[in-house]
Amino acid sequence: AVTVRPAEWPQAEGTGDADVSAFDADIDESAIKSTVTGFEEVAGGDVDIAEAEFLVSIGRGIEEEENLPLIEALVEATDATLSSSRPIVDNGWLPANRQVGQSGKVVTPDVYIAIGISGAVQHVAGMKGADTIVAINTDPNAPIYDLADYGIEDDLFDVVPALIEEFGGDVPDV
């Protein structure tokens, strides 16, 4: 068996003509150590982040859900799409269809702004294909900087309002 993550290679064009044939497999049921008990379809949600050209993605660095309006103002000012790392979804601040990473979606936008995201391997697996990566983080040793084309080592609560103003948006009170 082979497993390949989506977007690791460009999509193939056309279709193949391989012969497909069914066969009965002789499986020793006692050797199976796990059981599928069900399948839960994740709701599609309002947007497919995998199709977005410009993503603003947030991580633990935003500290609390009450700070989301600040990020949403940047998203609106830049006409971007909001996405996140897993902790944001685990906290229930954004729906699962907004999660980037190994257990979320693989994205390949033209621009990816990582705000308050450290750059854990699981997250990087989902966004490393972005054309341009901008990281905003206070930690100078954050792994996200190893991947970023541009890095802003500063407090997101200072940087994001400046970006919103630069793009002609209104900075909310948070």
Side-chain angles (χ1 to χ4, degrees):
V2 173
T3 303
V4 179
R5 281 195 311 256
E8 283 296 315
W9 290 279
Q11 184 174 352
E13 295 189 22
T15 58
D17 59 356
D19 290 332
V20 178
S21 54
F23 65 94
D24 290 327
D26 184 21
I27 299 173
D28 177 6
E29 298 290 331
S30 67
I32 298 173
K33 303 290 184 208
S34 64
T35 304
V36 176
T37 59
F39 176 78
E40 184 177 326
E41 185 76 36
V42 175
D46 56 341
V47 68
D48 183 0
I49 61 172
E51 299 298 320
E53 294 179 9
F54 185 172
L55 284 172
V56 170
S57 201
I58 54 173
R60 280 190 185 105
I62 70 160
E63 298 173 359
E64 55 190 5
E65 187 174 13
E66 288 72 21
N67 293 323
L68 270 174
L70 179 65
I71 306 303
E72 290 166 342
L74 177 62
V75 168
E76 184 177 326
T78 58
D79 197 28
T81 301
L82 180 61
S83 60
S84 76
S85 62
R86 183 173 179 163
I88 301 303
V89 171
D90 286 348
N91 287 341
W93 301 351
L94 288 177
N97 69 307
R98 298 289 182 141
Q99 181 181 327
V100 172
Q102 198 167 13
S103 56
K105 293 240 181 172
V106 173
V107 296
T108 55
D110 294 335
V111 177
Y112 187 88
I113 300 180
I115 301 175
I117 294 176
S118 64
V121 173
Q122 295 84 350
H123 183 77
V124 168
M127 49 69 74
K128 66 183 177 183
D131 289 341
T132 302
I133 299 168
V134 179
I136 302 170
N137 200 302
T138 56
D139 179 2
N141 299 312
I144 194 74
Y145 286 128
D146 294 337
L147 193 64
D149 297 292
Y150 302 96
I152 302 171
E153 184 190 326
D154 204 343
D155 189 332
L156 71 90
F157 297 106
D158 294 329
V159 175
V160 172
L163 288 173
I164 294 168
E165 288 175 355
E166 184 67 28
F167 285 99
D170 296 321
V171 179
D173 293 328
V174 289

